[in-house]
Amino acid sequence: MSEEIRLMKGDEAIGEAAVRAGCKAYFGYPITPQNELTAYMAKHMLDKGRTFIQAESEVAAINMVYGAASTGARAMTSSSSPGISLKQEGISYLCGADLPCVIVNVARSGPGLGGISPSQGDYFQSTRGGGHGDYHTIVLAPKSVQEAADLTYEAFSISERYRIPVLVLADGLIGQMMEGVVFKDEIDPASLPPEPFAVGHQAETGRPNRHVTSINLVPEELEKQNIVRFERYGQVKKELTRYEEVQVEDADLVLVAYGTAARVCLGALQDARRKGLKVGLFRPITLWPFPDAAIGRLAGKGSRFLSVEMSMGQMVEDVRLAVNGRAPVDFYGRCGGMVPSEEEVLAEIERILGKRS
Amino acid sequence: MEAAYSHPKSLVPVQSKYCPGCGHGIIHRLIAEVIDEMGLQARSIITNPVGCAIWADLYFDFDSVQPAHGRTPAASTGIKRMLPDHLVVCYQGDGDLAAIGTAETIHAANRGEKFTTIFVNNAIYGMTGGQMAPTTLVGQYATTAPYGRDPDVAGMGYPIKVCELLATLQGTKYLARGAVNNPVNVKKTKKYIRTAFEAQMRGEGFTMVEILSQCPTNWKMSPVQSVEWVESSMIPFYPLGEIKNTLQPDPAAAAAVKPAGVR
Ligand SMILES: Cc1ncc(C[n+]2csc(CCOP(=O)(O)OP(=O)(O)O)c2C)c(N)n1
């Protein structure tokens, strides 16, 4: 780890982390609020003699990723919400072909063109697969520039370990704000071991043909393939589920929030504690797999929950599934690019705990 | 005695699933022959398209990648950029290339991506059962043009001449149109494929060979009628030949005439 602390925008820190992780190919299409990421990749990938293409669309970009990933290269694309919608076809194919890759969504508000301000309205799309068919992507949700860099860096190896695309879901605030960040060591793409599925280089290896594909017209076989993939998902749930807990042990009310909303909640928690209210914070870092067992444990201890989101209420459904009727689950959200304030969240906490001041 | 004619090494010796009289099989063979002649079998990758040729990975005896419908040039871009010393064959039908994948085709061509597109123009959607394609001729029947393609009716528009369309783009270096309806055209088409593959391996830019190909099943014709229809109806509209050739003069020939010592 190089200990130099750099002051950087989230978008650029994500780019630097990807370059350091040995990303060999980046394909993107301009969209706010992630333009700085595409521009950063243009400069730094080209400087390093790696592949950068400004694609003609997000559809093309994700399918370039599909091609590059087929060769075993670390490949990446990034976009913001409307562009991520366009990538869903490609993501479904990547999942169907069991190809690794990294996709970054610096999310903005919707639906439709919506706005360019931060939002968490893409939670359903991110955690339910997003495209057609039975699949999931791994979803990592950073709360800071540092965590955005760290999760992006790690996303490549996680994706390769499980052969599942990893989606880094940041919101526009994380992408646009500047914070201090320390980067991990640079990985030389040439030092990475060849992937067991990669096409190319038959001349050197003399191995049998490899076919990267998602098609299978035999129902019995396709069902089996999906079952095997879901067994891998089970393994991911066991090994990768991540979350952060703050003062949950004695909490009467646990705030559940991720990304920017979790930072707001941390402030509200501190205010509430000063007022003597026993409030905790549960912050999922992996949105898929969702840390339902950990939330279930808290529900069993008698805490009630408040899901705070920059949406009309999406993650709250997962919280309710995890709680499974054992405790009340409330929701507070702002949307359309509005970020909830600490005061608003505190007022909601006080309302729920019946101590409106 | 030397074998004058045998099964290409780059083609798996199996019976294909293509319909009797279909052009895909001939085109597969031509590609395989050229790859064998260039000694590139173990350094070739085909992107088999969504369409009848999705089965190409069963037949070509080397690696393959199967992308989404129309995204074949985008995937080929990713592959070729990672493996620039490999022969990447972007195999596409007319629906794949000129309808759903038009943007990917035009921009890969415009970037001068260094793979070769083999564009199988059978003037119909084969795999889905005979719907109108962007290359369906005016007056030609399709399940979705039940009274024949009429440019003015139901937004059917006009057949697209893809080589001519792409010829204006500076990234395109070689665009040829062949056919596989008779031995003479088959031989010429093979020559175009060879020229394109050689240019690809020299890294010259975007190369494409469009091949007029018969689809007796969906044209509702016998195989014999279908090769005749290519001659009588398709070729007059889609002229054969090298539509654009801005390749460097043959480097081997150029080297041969260059006196020693001159750089
Ligand atoms: C997104 C999407 N839309 C539609 C289809 C259905 N589909 C499969 S093949 C095909 C047409 C293929 O026609 P063409 O590209 O001309 O190739 P051919 O089968 O004639 O060789 C279509 C529309 C699909 N697989 N995916």
Side-chain angles (χ1 to χ4, degrees), chain A residues 89 93, chain B residues 24 50-53 69 71 92-97 100 120 122 124-128 133:
Chain A
E89 177 201 52
Y93 277 72
Chain B
H24 277 299
V50 173
C52 290
H69 192 21
R71 318 302 173 217
Q92 296 191 263
D94 39 54
D96 199 70
L97 184 144
I100 194 166
V120 179
N122 58 11
I124 200 97
Y125 281 14
M127 185 179 232
T128 39

XYZ file of all heavy atoms in Angstrom, chain A residues 89 93, chain B residues 24 50-53 69 71 92-97 100 120 122 124-128 133, ligand 1:
208
model
N -29.060 -5.845 -21.153
C -29.002 -6.971 -22.085
C -27.633 -7.663 -21.978
O -27.528 -8.871 -21.810
C -29.222 -6.472 -23.519
C -29.104 -7.571 -24.564
C -28.816 -7.032 -25.965
O -27.855 -6.243 -26.127
O -29.546 -7.386 -26.899
N -26.275 -11.481 -20.626
C -25.428 -12.400 -21.412
C -24.130 -12.730 -20.672
O -23.670 -13.876 -20.696
C -25.108 -11.794 -22.791
C -26.203 -12.026 -23.803
C -27.406 -11.340 -23.720
C -26.038 -12.937 -24.840
C -28.421 -11.553 -24.641
C -27.053 -13.156 -25.771
C -28.231 -12.471 -25.668
O -29.230 -12.683 -26.576
N -25.057 -21.012 -45.798
C -24.149 -20.912 -44.641
C -23.054 -21.977 -44.691
O -21.894 -21.699 -44.378
C -24.929 -21.070 -43.326
C -25.587 -19.804 -42.853
N -24.894 -18.660 -42.544
C -26.903 -19.517 -42.607
C -25.734 -17.719 -42.130
N -26.965 -18.211 -42.167
N -26.369 -14.365 -33.293
C -27.731 -14.837 -33.117
C -28.365 -14.845 -34.513
O -28.416 -13.830 -35.187
C -28.508 -13.915 -32.162
C -29.975 -14.312 -32.101
C -27.888 -13.962 -30.771
N -28.815 -15.995 -34.930
C -29.283 -16.221 -36.300
C -28.982 -17.683 -36.589
O -28.518 -18.414 -35.707
N -29.228 -18.098 -37.808
C -28.991 -19.508 -38.131
C -27.560 -19.931 -37.817
O -27.313 -21.061 -37.411
C -29.296 -19.761 -39.603
S -31.059 -19.654 -39.975
N -26.608 -19.008 -37.991
C -25.200 -19.364 -37.795
C -24.802 -19.382 -36.326
O -23.620 -19.479 -36.001
C -24.306 -18.414 -38.583
N -27.720 -10.581 -29.936
C -28.149 -10.310 -31.316
C -27.714 -8.898 -31.754
O -28.106 -7.900 -31.136
C -29.671 -10.430 -31.357
C -30.275 -10.464 -32.725
N -29.575 -10.810 -33.853
C -31.553 -10.202 -33.127
C -30.395 -10.756 -34.905
N -31.598 -10.394 -34.484
N -24.855 -7.512 -31.512
C -23.719 -6.924 -30.776
C -22.404 -7.574 -31.179
O -21.360 -7.326 -30.573
C -23.911 -7.041 -29.264
C -25.306 -6.745 -28.761
C -25.809 -5.363 -29.128
N -27.207 -5.232 -28.740
C -28.124 -4.585 -29.419
N -27.818 -3.970 -30.549
N -29.358 -4.529 -28.983
N -21.986 -12.540 -39.373
C -23.288 -11.909 -39.104
C -24.296 -12.131 -40.222
O -23.933 -12.144 -41.400
C -23.109 -10.394 -38.953
C -22.251 -9.985 -37.767
C -22.347 -8.495 -37.520
O -21.511 -7.743 -37.960
N -23.390 -8.073 -36.825
N -25.544 -12.253 -39.835
C -26.633 -12.261 -40.811
C -27.106 -10.836 -41.071
O -26.618 -9.885 -40.453
N -28.092 -10.699 -41.979
C -28.520 -9.340 -42.332
C -29.357 -8.684 -41.241
O -29.310 -7.468 -41.067
C -29.250 -9.322 -43.684
C -30.148 -10.527 -43.877
O -30.996 -10.767 -43.002
O -29.981 -11.245 -44.883
N -30.090 -9.490 -40.479
C -30.822 -8.906 -39.356
C -29.852 -8.455 -38.279
O -29.951 -7.357 -37.736
N -28.897 -9.322 -37.998
C -27.893 -9.049 -36.975
C -27.094 -7.792 -37.319
O -26.890 -6.921 -36.488
C -26.950 -10.264 -36.894
C -26.154 -10.323 -35.600
O -26.761 -10.582 -34.540
O -24.922 -10.120 -35.651
N -26.671 -7.705 -38.578
C -25.765 -6.629 -38.975
C -26.488 -5.340 -39.323
O -26.050 -4.260 -38.951
C -24.904 -7.091 -40.162
C -23.829 -6.110 -40.641
C -22.582 -6.843 -41.085
C -24.351 -5.231 -41.768
N -30.806 -4.822 -36.063
C -30.616 -4.611 -34.618
C -29.197 -4.141 -34.298
O -28.982 -3.434 -33.324
C -31.000 -5.892 -33.840
C -31.145 -5.612 -32.343
C -30.011 -7.018 -34.081
C -31.835 -6.719 -31.579
N -23.471 -12.400 -44.100
C -24.266 -13.325 -44.901
C -25.622 -12.688 -45.194
O -26.485 -12.600 -44.319
C -24.424 -14.673 -44.164
C -25.267 -15.632 -44.999
C -23.054 -15.269 -43.877
N -28.863 -13.065 -46.811
C -29.825 -13.975 -47.445
C -31.192 -13.306 -47.607
O -32.201 -13.963 -47.847
C -29.936 -15.304 -46.680
C -30.348 -15.109 -45.230
O -30.741 -14.016 -44.830
N -30.261 -16.169 -44.435
N -33.378 -12.264 -45.768
C -34.521 -12.747 -44.963
C -34.005 -13.061 -43.554
O -32.804 -13.215 -43.363
C -35.133 -14.025 -45.605
C -36.569 -14.299 -45.130
C -34.269 -15.256 -45.339
C -37.602 -13.795 -46.069
N -34.902 -13.114 -42.580
C -34.540 -13.630 -41.259
C -34.721 -15.141 -41.313
O -35.848 -15.621 -41.410
C -35.447 -13.052 -40.169
C -35.107 -11.641 -39.736
C -34.256 -10.839 -40.483
C -35.631 -11.120 -38.561
C -33.940 -9.546 -40.067
C -35.331 -9.826 -38.146
C -34.483 -9.050 -38.908
O -34.188 -7.784 -38.502
N -33.612 -15.852 -41.279
C -33.676 -17.301 -41.403
C -34.164 -17.966 -40.133
O -35.182 -18.662 -40.112
N -33.459 -17.712 -39.052
C -33.688 -18.488 -37.839
C -35.096 -18.349 -37.287
O -35.673 -19.299 -36.772
C -32.688 -18.100 -36.763
C -32.830 -18.992 -35.545
S -31.662 -18.589 -34.286
C -30.942 -20.197 -33.998
N -35.659 -17.152 -37.389
C -36.977 -16.936 -36.798
C -38.100 -17.261 -37.771
O -39.263 -17.034 -37.468
C -37.100 -15.485 -36.287
O -36.444 -14.623 -37.221
C -36.450 -15.324 -34.934
N -36.175 -8.807 -43.760
C -34.870 -8.318 -43.310
C -34.634 -6.936 -43.911
O -35.333 -6.543 -44.860
C -33.777 -9.279 -43.773
C -32.793 -9.169 -28.824
C -33.298 -10.209 -29.732
N -34.300 -9.926 -30.586
C -34.764 -10.875 -31.411
C -34.246 -12.130 -31.399
C -34.825 -13.199 -32.306
N -33.996 -13.504 -33.441
C -33.168 -14.565 -33.459
S -32.371 -14.759 -34.903
C -33.139 -13.408 -35.570
C -32.946 -12.967 -36.993
C -31.717 -13.485 -37.595
O -31.692 -13.142 -38.933
P -30.349 -12.879 -39.656
O -29.474 -12.013 -38.833
O -30.685 -12.361 -41.010
O -29.626 -14.294 -39.747
P -30.101 -15.667 -40.444
O -30.857 -16.432 -39.422
O -30.954 -15.298 -41.641
O -28.841 -16.337 -40.834
C -34.001 -12.831 -34.647
C -34.830 -11.635 -34.929
C -33.213 -12.398 -30.482
N -32.624 -13.603 -30.378
N -32.737 -11.418 -29.673
